[in-house]
Amino acid sequence: MSAVQPQDKRLAEAVAVFIEAIHREVPAASMRPLAPYDDEDFTLEVRIPAELDWEAVLDVCQRHALAVEDQF
């Protein structure tokens, strides 16, 4: 059985914090992991109902992504 690397644990914690933050502000959003883009450690697809303003949700996601990046 292999041990979890500290870097992997921090990434998992960061993703959990990000998902919780998005669900608090956009409860109707659903997320699923995607293969990471180029130099990204993790990539999520965020799906929202058609009646929501996708630009506003994108702003929320970007704000929280930057906050999580600063935190971790």
Side-chain angles (χ1 to χ4, degrees):
M1 183 183 229
S2 65
V4 175
Q5 299 296 318
Q7 181 180 357
D8 293 337
K9 184 178 178 188
R10 287 184 56 79
L11 177 59
E13 290 172 356
V15 171
V17 167
F18 177 78
I19 289 172
E20 287 176 21
I22 300 305
H23 277 281
R24 262 194 316 274
E25 286 200 51
V26 189
S30 64
M31 288 172 251
R32 71 180 184 105
L34 298 174
Y37 296 148
D38 299 326
D39 63 342
E40 299 298 329
D41 294 322
F42 199 85
T43 306
L44 286 173
E45 174 183 72
V46 178
R47 292 184 177 190
I48 59 171
E51 63 270 9
L52 291 182
D53 178 357
W54 69 268
E55 289 178 325
V57 174
L58 179 60
D59 288 344
V60 168
C61 290
Q62 290 174 333
R63 181 168 37 88
H64 286 294
L66 291 172
V68 167
E69 189 175 329
D70 287 345
Q71 182 180 347
F72 288 89

